[in-house]
Amino acid sequence: MMDMERVNDYMARVSASEHTTFPPADGELKVGLDLGTAYIVLVVLDGADNPVACEKQAASVLRDGVVVDYLGALQIVRELKRRLEQRLGRELERCAIAMPAGTESSARTHQYVAEGAGFEVTAVLDEPTAANAVYQIDNGVVVDIGGGTTGLAVLREGKVVRIEDEPTGGTHLTLVLAGNYHIPFAEAESIKQDYARHKEIFPVVRPVVEKMAAIVKRYVDKTETETLYLCGGTCCLTGIEEVFARETGIRTVKPADPFLVTPAGIAMNCK
C-alpha cells in the first residue's frame, strides 16, 4: 500500500522548490524534463532524490504527447534550463525524459529537444512508470492524466505488466468549458485552474471525466486491482478521484500535488 503521507510530504517539497531553491545534500544533480501538452516542466533533485528546484511554463507545442512545434519547445526548455542554472549557480548537464504511454515513437523528437537545449539524455521512460518512482507501489494501477492523454500502467509485484494510453485529457476539459461558456480557450483554461470554481464547472466537464474513467475501466480488471493512483495536471480537478472510483468500482487516490508527480519521477530516473 502506498504511504500517502510520505507522498504528500514529498510533493509539497517539490512544489515549494519552484519558489525556493533548496541546497542539495550532495554534489550530484538529477534533472527530469516533462514535455507536456499544457506545460513544460523541469525538476531538479539531488543524488538522494531530495527536491532542489523546479521551473515550469505553459506551452502549446505538443499535441497528444507528440511535439508539433519543435522550435517552440526548444526555446521554452532552453529558457527553463537557463533560469534553473541561474538559481543554482551551476550548469545542468544531464536529464531524463518521458512520453505518454503508447507514444514511444516520439521519443526521438523529445530527445532532440532536450539535446538541443544542452542536455545529455540518460534515460527515456513512459510517464506512468515515471510517476511510480514517486508512488513506489508494488500492485495497482498508476493513471497519469495530462493535457492531451489518459495513460495508465498496471503494476504487479513492482513490475509494469501493461501500458495503455488514449487521447483524452485536460485540453478536452478546457474545450468543453470554452464551448459551454462561449469564451476563448485561454479564458476557459484559467477557469479550469481556479480551484474556487471547480464545484461550479464540475457538472459541465463530468462527461469528459467519465470518459477518462471509462478508458481506465476498459483496460483494468477490478477483481485484480485494489487501487488506482492518479497523477498529472488534470487530476488537480477537485472530485475527479470520486468519479473514477464510482465508474471503475476501484478505490482511487491522488496526492495533494498531482501535477508534479510525473516530472519528479522522471528526475529520479536521471542517471
Side-chain angles (χ1 to χ4, degrees):
M1 184 71 65
M2 179 185 68
D3 182 350
M4 184 62 80
E5 184 176 352
R6 172 191 62 82
V7 173
N8 283 338
D9 176 69
Y10 184 78
M11 294 315 304
R13 288 185 287 138
V14 174
S15 182
S17 72
E18 184 178 356
H19 309 288
T20 303
T21 304
F22 298 107
D26 57 33
E28 183 182 359
L29 292 178
K30 301 161 71 175
V31 181
L33 169 59
D34 187 357
L35 291 172
T37 302
Y39 279 87
I40 293 178
V41 186
L42 276 176
V43 168
V44 182
L45 310 175
D46 68 14
D49 292 334
N50 297 304
V52 174
C54 76
E55 292 279 349
K56 70 177 188 291
Q57 183 172 321
S60 56
V61 295
L62 283 87
R63 186 172 297 116
D64 298 336
V66 178
V67 176
V68 294
D69 180 359
Y70 171 79
L71 292 178
L74 180 60
Q75 183 178 7
I76 292 172
V77 176
R78 281 176 173 169
E79 174 58 20
L80 296 180
K81 184 174 185 285
R82 183 196 66 78
R83 290 184 211 164
L84 285 168
E85 290 176 339
Q86 187 174 47
R87 288 172 58 182
L88 296 166
R90 57 187 287 189
E91 184 180 1
L92 299 173
E93 300 176 346
R94 293 175 294 278
C95 79
I97 61 175
M99 279 73 55
T103 64
E104 287 77 6
S105 60
S106 66
R108 181 59 62 184
T109 307
H110 281 65
Q111 187 166 341
Y112 286 156
V113 171
E115 291 173 346
F119 285 115
E120 174 191 353
V121 177
T122 65
V124 180
L125 57 158
D126 66 88
E127 292 177 350
T129 300
N132 196 45
V134 174
Y135 285 145
Q136 298 177 18
I137 62 172
D138 291 322
N139 297 287
V141 178
V142 175
V143 180
D144 189 329
I145 310 175
T149 64
T150 295
L152 61 93
V154 180
L155 293 107
R156 297 283 181 266
E157 298 181 355
K159 296 182 179 180
V160 176
V161 297
R162 184 170 189 175
I163 295 174
E164 300 289 349
D165 186 85
E166 291 196 17
T168 301
T171 298
H172 302 80
L173 298 180
T174 306
L175 288 169
V176 168
L177 288 173
N180 183 79
Y181 288 103
H182 307 290
I183 56 177
F185 182 91
E187 186 177 345
E189 182 72 16
S190 296
I191 291 174
K192 185 185 72 177
Q193 295 181 23
D194 183 353
Y195 283 81
R197 299 191 67 174
H198 281 184
K199 186 175 181 179
E200 169 198 341
I201 68 172
F202 203 87
V204 178
V205 300
R206 181 188 295 273
V208 184
V209 175
E210 290 174 344
K211 181 181 179 182
M212 295 170 182
I215 291 171
V216 176
K217 184 178 181 179
R218 187 180 310 133
Y219 296 115
V220 176
D221 184 348
K222 71 176 183 179
T223 64
E224 299 179 354
T225 305
E226 181 179 336
T227 307
L228 302 177
Y229 300 88
L230 303 187
C231 62
T234 301
C235 293
C236 293
L237 181 67
T238 305
I240 190 173
E241 66 275 22
E242 297 168 7
V243 174
F244 269 75
R246 182 173 59 255
E247 294 295 318
T248 64
I250 303 171
R251 173 178 178 263
T252 305
V253 298
K254 72 175 183 181
D257 257 313
F259 175 64
L260 292 172
V261 170
T262 299
I266 297 172
M268 288 180 177
N269 284 274
C270 182
K271 301 173 183 178

